[in-house]
Amino acid sequence: MIDWPAFSHLLRKLAHCLPAACKLLLVTLLATTSMNAMAAPAKISGILVTGGNVGSAYRFSPDNSRVVFIADKDIDGATGLYSVAAGGGAITKLAGSSVAGRNVAADFVISPDGTTVLFLGDLSTDGVDDLYRVPIGGGVVSRMTDSIGVNGEVREFRVNATSARAVFTANKANAGVTELYSAPIGPVVGGPIANLSGPLVLGGDVSSFEISPDGATVVFIADKTTDGTSELYSVPVGGGTVTLLSGAMVAGGGVDDFAISPDSSRVVFVANKTNSAVRELYSAPLQGGAAINLSGVLVTNGNVANYRISPNSAAVVFRADKSTDGLVQLYSVPIGGGAISTVSSMLAVTGSGVNNFLITPNSARVVYRAEGETAGVSELYSVAITGGSTSNLSGVLVSGGNVSSDFKISPDSTWVVFRADKTTDGVHELFSVGITGSGLNRLSGTLVVDGDVWFEYVISPDSKRVVFTADKTTDEVFELFSVPITGGNPVNISGPLVAGADVEDLIISSDSARVLFRADKSTDGKLELYRTQIAGEPLALDIDGDDRVLATTDMLLLTRWHLGIRGSALIAGAVSAGGTRRTVSDIESYIEALSALAAP
């Protein structure tokens, strides 16, 4: 975001030493910096039928130019899929039925290249979900499962990183068997669909799957060779040889869950591999090879609870009652095996344990929540990923206070944001603190009596702001606020709400400029979709109306206009696809209005 006081000061200094044409441009810009009234959120979901609502699935396209959402917008009870420019404008219905009860399912995926939306729905057969694709700007809706049978429905799906293929589970070929498939996404639907799971034993099914981050390989769990024994396999995303990753499994054993390393080289999984009553942690090469035990020897009755792979793919951090039955501690180990380090040194209370944890994006530290110093009190700690000196991040808590489990780490690995009833028992406020414990800030400001910060809060991708919901000014009325992550005055960015209304949820665009949120803002009980600037301020220098101030569009338009360029030459190649002002007339009128601010 622009530091307006510093920017204004710089413009005033420059205006004394530049030619008249440039001086006029600077004076115009200077005038606009005084336009500091709050910007009203814009409703972008359009008119909804009586009883209609926007669903919880909505998101920006990868380039932030469009918003896709699900709503029963046209027919109450018949959900459809819609697309609109992020700056607002005409809404395109991508898919949906004209028959009540025929629905687009509750979620969808935008392909990583931003061109296609994939979704499930019973648009063809009532009650039977198929997989469909449609261009993000609208066009032909194509069913992707026609060639593999009509017995059942698609269960779930993913899109690979190259946007080339969709991978999905379905019982289409055999109503009683869930198998794994891969289909080409486009541009032409109808290419060969590959069965990835291959032959399954009688009674066998695929239970879960993931695509490797590089998009080339699919890993899945299935009782493929022995009914009831879940094993782990990998297969090329387009089909080919199925490779067993989990190795030999004891009778009654099985793989519980798995994760693929970010560099797509290895798979980490939890399994009852050598003892049907003991969950241990393993790592195996993605393309096949020996599975290595990462958790080492566990105490009698000990088990691995959960784990995370570091973003740099070098280490695995896991929770386990490894040394003392019932005492869950935190450990780290190289992903390929090696010495195991105890991470959670702050566990002084007998019977205490680590509740949950996160690894910093830079893979340097672990932040965890534990009953570390007082029985029954969950506090927040930070430590190097290999263990060592531990910092208490949450500081002193009021009697009865606890840190909530939904803490977050900023993308730049600098800050931890957490909710806690830190100063008043039962009142959950929002705080930020440096990753090693310095600079504790209360982000939520003063709350009304009985007010709380809700668990819906998000750190912006640029790590500069936190957007949160809270009944901050009126008890039980949850509004949307934005605050610098370093602390400051929270700004209400949801605007006035009708009686009984609340903000339900939110997302932030990947460029950290905009916030989308759902709220029954205008009509109690009718959830609609709104867009606002992340800090709530109007962007006077946003010439094309796309909620961003960019050198390649807005500044270029201003410069051309002040150089006397008009007509089509003014806007050529300089207007955002998501802008609300796109014509010569709109752009010229807006700049003329800005220039008028600088007139004597």
Side-chain angles (χ1 to χ4, degrees), residues 177-211:
V177 180
T178 300
E179 298 178 278
L180 187 66
Y181 298 91
S182 170
I185 291 177
V188 178
V189 174
I193 294 177
N195 182 316
L196 300 185
S197 48
L200 301 174
V201 69
L202 182 64
D205 286 287
V206 173
S207 57
S208 65
F209 71 95
E210 295 294 340
I211 306 174

Side-chain angles (χ1 to χ4, degrees), residues 189-394:
V189 174
I193 294 177
N195 182 316
L196 300 185
S197 48
L200 301 174
V201 69
L202 182 64
D205 286 287
V206 173
S207 57
S208 65
F209 71 95
E210 295 294 340
I211 306 174
S212 61
D214 64 7
T217 306
V218 181
V219 177
F220 65 96
I221 295 175
D223 51 348
K224 179 174 167 60
T225 58
T226 304
D227 184 25
T229 300
S230 297
E231 297 178 292
L232 192 66
Y233 301 87
S234 71
V235 62
V237 72
T241 301
V242 178
T243 301
L244 176 67
L245 301 180
S246 49
M249 197 73 57
V250 69
V255 176
D256 286 346
D257 60 54
F258 69 92
I260 305 172
S261 62
D263 67 0
S264 301
S265 67
R266 299 189 72 87
V267 179
V268 176
F269 61 97
V270 172
N272 309 96
K273 182 171 164 58
T274 60
N275 185 325
S276 62
V278 179
R279 286 166 44 95
E280 297 176 289
L281 188 66
Y282 297 87
S283 168
L286 186 66
Q287 306 306 327
I292 299 169
N293 184 312
L294 298 182
S295 49
V297 178
L298 301 176
V299 69
T300 301
N301 296 322
N303 285 279
V304 172
N306 70 318
Y307 61 92
R308 295 181 186 274
I309 303 174
S310 62
N312 66 359
S313 301
V316 180
V317 178
F318 64 97
R319 291 172 59 239
D321 52 349
K322 176 174 168 59
S323 303
T324 304
D325 182 28
L327 177 61
V328 178
Q329 299 192 79
L330 204 58
Y331 303 87
S332 70
V333 60
I335 195 168
I340 301 172
S341 303
T342 302
V343 174
S344 53
S345 60
M346 297 293 288
L347 291 174
V349 182
T350 301
S352 65
V354 175
N355 306 128
N356 58 319
F357 70 96
L358 296 173
I359 303 174
T360 55
N362 65 3
S363 302
R365 300 186 71 83
V366 178
V367 176
Y368 65 94
R369 175 177 175 262
E371 295 178 26
E373 298 164 70
T374 305
V377 178
S378 292
E379 298 177 271
L380 200 60
Y381 301 92
S382 171
V383 63
I385 195 167
T386 54
S389 177
T390 302
S391 302
N392 183 313
L393 300 183
S394 46

Side-chain angles (χ1 to χ4, degrees), residues 527-539:
L527 293 172
E528 299 175 286
L529 190 60
Y530 295 85
R531 182 205 76 241
T532 188
Q533 278 297 121
I534 194 167
E537 81 279 19
L539 297 178

Side-chain angles (χ1 to χ4, degrees), residues 36 77 89 163 182 194 198 249 256 265 394 457 484 506 532 557 582 591:
N36 55 8
S163 302
S182 170
M249 197 73 57
D256 286 346
S265 67
S394 46
Y457 70 91
L506 71 125
T532 188
L557 288 166
R582 298 181 50 79
I591 297 177

Side-chain angles (χ1 to χ4, degrees), residues 578-591:
T580 56
R581 290 181 287 271
R582 298 181 50 79
T583 67
V584 170
S585 175
D586 288 344
I587 296 294
E588 289 186 349
S589 295
Y590 187 80
I591 297 177

